[in-house]
Amino acid sequence: MPLVKVNELLHHATENGYGVAAVNVFNYETIKWVAEAANRERIPVIIQFYPGFDKYIALKHVAAIAKDFAEKSSVPIGVHLDHSAGYEIAVSGVRDGFPSVMVDGSALPYEENMALTAAVVKTAAVFGVDVEAELGHVGSGANLDDIVNSDHYTDVKQAVEFVQCTGCGSLAVAVGNAHGAYVQTPNLDFDRIASLRSALPIPLVLHGCSDIPPEQLQESVRLGMSKFNIATEYFRACYHGVVQHGDPTEKYGDMFRLMMETSENAIDFVRGKMRLLNPNKFTF
């Protein structure tokens, strides 16, 4: 199957009532396991990479591996660069072959975020690359104020202006979600999600989906959220797979065997998230 444009995939998800798991990866195995889960489950997925991991593996290597799996997949797979903190990082993702990039100017004043996003959109458009932006403060799950303080949440009227002025293809929003492990169970602002969905013509993205209660994720799908970023829980599933199958007392340890045995833990985790985000049981 040809590599699928992320924005096309997200619009399809919105129209057909399912959410797309956007799973962060960092090496060949984590990419392979996500692609395998999608093909077993018969539901699309997005493979994405955080550019802060570039000290471990180069962006161009991740893009090449992920696109190869996408092109050989029997279900649609998108490939995306997550959380580029500035123009140079986002454009380096375009240069290194990512068909979709996120530019995150949410820590900047509103006008600067808008100018940064518009600049990335303009450059990316030359190469046919999709752009996700962020408005509102999706902070850290370790900081209670980032979760419960509605002053950090995305303002609906401001979001309308932001999308019109920047031309971004999708928008990550703050509605009580945060990155990493949560210090307390989040309670998403469903009224705000519904208002954003009603006001905006582009797909909505929910970051920090690890450990959000299943019923809240499913309600977000029903309200029209399209892309669900998952990293912390996936990496945890991979870790526990290694711990479960590894044996520190084994004299002749075999990394190849360990990776093969670990794979099912990771694949099963991703499949479970896909089912959760697919309440209407859509399949390809």
Side-chain angles (χ1 to χ4, degrees):
M1 175 172 287
L3 183 67
V4 177
K5 296 279 287 182
V6 167
N7 275 8
E8 291 178 9
L9 181 52
L10 295 181
H11 279 289
H12 185 272
T14 305
E15 293 164 3
N16 289 276
Y18 67 93
V20 183
V23 187
N24 281 67
V25 299
F26 59 87
N27 64 3
Y28 176 87
E29 285 80 13
T30 52
I31 295 169
K32 178 182 179 180
W33 297 335
V34 173
E36 177 64 22
N39 279 277
R40 291 191 196 179
E41 204 61 29
R42 308 301 307 164
I43 195 75
V45 75
I46 294 169
I47 295 171
Q48 62 183 28
F49 180 70
Y50 172 59
F53 291 164
D54 65 344
K55 292 180 177 62
Y56 179 78
I57 184 171
L59 271 63
K60 64 181 181 180
H61 295 154
V62 175
I65 295 167
K67 288 192 295 184
D68 184 61
F69 273 102
E71 288 162 359
K72 294 173 180 175
S73 172
S74 60
V75 298
I77 293 179
V79 177
H80 177 72
L81 182 66
D82 192 23
H83 277 294
S84 300
Y87 178 86
E88 292 78 10
I89 299 173
V91 172
S92 72
V94 175
R95 178 202 64 204
D96 287 341
F98 281 89
S100 175
V101 300
M102 180 198 181
V103 57
D104 181 7
S106 61
L108 300 172
Y110 174 69
E111 297 292 339
E112 292 181 32
N113 184 8
M114 192 154 56
L116 169 63
T117 302
V120 172
V121 169
K122 182 177 180 180
T123 299
V126 175
F127 302 94
V129 170
D130 296 334
V131 177
E132 173 188 328
E134 183 172 315
L135 184 65
H137 178 63
V138 182
S140 169
N143 185 348
L144 183 61
D145 188 65
D146 286 349
I147 306 169
V148 302
N149 187 348
S150 61
D151 289 343
H152 298 312
Y153 296 0
T154 305
D155 179 87
V156 178
K157 291 183 179 179
Q158 200 174 56
V160 171
E161 179 187 53
F162 185 88
V163 170
Q164 289 175 343
C165 292
T166 64
C168 62
S170 61
L171 186 67
V173 296
V175 289
N177 51 311
H179 298 106
Y182 288 95
V183 292
Q184 75 171 35
T185 303
N187 288 294
L188 301 183
D189 186 339
F190 295 126
D191 290 339
R192 194 176 300 257
I193 293 174
S195 296
L196 287 162
R197 177 67 284 150
S198 177
L200 298 175
I202 63 173
L204 299 177
V205 180
L206 190 69
H207 286 212
C209 292
S210 295
D211 297 323
I212 291 178
E215 63 275 11
Q216 292 192 38
L217 290 179
Q218 286 202 329
E219 182 62 16
S220 299
V221 175
R222 295 187 183 97
L223 291 172
M225 194 74 69
S226 301
K227 178 173 179 274
F228 294 78
N229 284 19
I230 301 162
T232 300
E233 272 190 291
Y234 181 50
F235 295 161
R236 187 187 304 152
C238 296
Y239 175 85
H240 285 305
V242 171
V243 171
Q244 176 183 334
H245 296 288
D247 181 359
T249 68
E250 187 176 344
K251 184 176 181 180
Y252 300 105
D254 185 340
M255 188 65 175
F256 175 77
R257 175 192 60 78
L258 182 58
M259 289 296 95
M260 294 298 290
E261 292 178 354
T262 299
S263 63
E264 292 303 317
N265 294 68
I267 293 167
D268 287 347
F269 167 79
V270 178
R271 292 184 73 184
K273 283 296 182 184
M274 289 176 173
R275 293 189 200 109
L276 180 66
L277 298 173
N278 188 22
N280 299 317
K281 295 180 171 54
F282 177 87
T283 59
F284 270 81

